[in-house]
Amino acid sequence: MAKRKAWLHIDLSGLKGDRITLILLEHRDELRDLGFKTPVHDPTEGHLAWLEMLRLHGEHGLRRRVVQGHWAEISRRAYKGSKVPLLSIPGFGAADPAQVALILDILHGLKLNVVATVPADPTPEQASTIEQALAGWQAKLKPDRLHRVPVAPGDWAAAWRGYAELVGLDAEGWVSATRT
């Protein structure tokens, strides 16, 4: 049986929050009709998964038990059924190679595509840091499954358009949640 595709958005551009998850949630029913699903049921859930997998819960004043299991639950939902999972956990962009391995290990049965938002015009220092971070992801993915979407600072509309186009959605019809 062929592996089912899945799409995960991560951020390396410094976008704040997670507007892609908001759009996915806002259009959950339409996406379901198109053969997709949204395993993250609430933006807070994705945030807690990020804190869990990057072990940042203590820095955010949370105990381990508050964040524990969020990524496993989201991943379980991604596997369940036959629809293509669409995910956005922007904070995963800051994962080191060991954390990337843990994040991806639980998704090993899916044909995962990672969409990384990156600065449209990075400084040389930023470019070096971004390349290093993406190398950790690329080492765990097949070559054609890491995609870059250049965005200007705070440009969630461009992030959404890039993600949606890669997934195969008409991005322009679903931008309401990208507005600030």
Side-chain angles (χ1 to χ4, degrees):
M1 176 185 263
K3 289 184 177 182
R4 190 166 28 107
K5 274 190 176 181
W7 295 87
L8 169 65
H9 164 252
I10 63 170
D11 180 54
L12 295 154
S13 68
L15 294 170
K16 301 292 183 210
D18 185 2
R19 298 277 173 92
I20 291 176
T21 291
L22 293 176
I23 295 168
L24 295 174
L25 291 172
E26 182 179 329
H27 297 283
R28 172 177 267 156
D29 294 336
E30 294 165 75
L31 289 166
R32 189 178 317 114
D33 293 343
L34 294 171
F36 299 99
K37 65 178 167 182
T38 55
V40 176
H41 290 172
D42 177 292
T44 302
E45 185 177 50
H47 180 74
L48 293 173
W50 162 62
L51 296 177
E52 171 192 15
M53 296 309 291
L54 272 61
R55 304 208 189 301
L56 298 172
H57 56 281
E59 294 175 26
H60 291 262
L62 299 172
R63 292 182 171 248
R64 176 90 179 132
R65 69 174 181 246
V66 173
V67 300
Q68 194 165 7
H70 279 86
W71 182 236
E73 178 60 22
I74 291 168
S75 298
R76 184 190 66 73
R77 288 186 211 132
Y79 275 108
K80 196 174 180 180
S82 61
K83 298 193 183 297
V84 174
L86 303 178
L87 303 123
S88 177
I89 314 279
F92 280 0
D96 66 33
Q99 293 165 334
V100 168
L102 286 173
I103 290 165
L104 297 181
D105 185 52
I106 198 166
L107 299 173
H108 71 277
L110 295 170
K111 187 176 177 180
L112 184 67
N113 287 271
V114 174
V115 178
T117 45
V118 298
D121 190 21
T123 65
E125 183 178 288
Q126 285 176 318
S128 175
T129 301
I130 290 165
E131 290 308 314
Q132 187 176 15
L134 289 177
W137 288 91
Q138 189 62 73
K140 297 293 182 185
L141 295 168
K142 294 200 176 185
D144 60 339
R145 294 197 192 151
L146 179 63
H147 312 273
R148 298 170 189 230
V149 175
V151 298
D155 190 354
W156 273 106
W160 166 248
R161 277 192 307 276
Y163 181 82
E165 288 169 12
L166 286 164
V167 168
L169 296 170
D170 174 18
E172 296 308 316
W174 302 4
V175 295
S176 63
T178 63
R179 298 186 187 113
T180 54

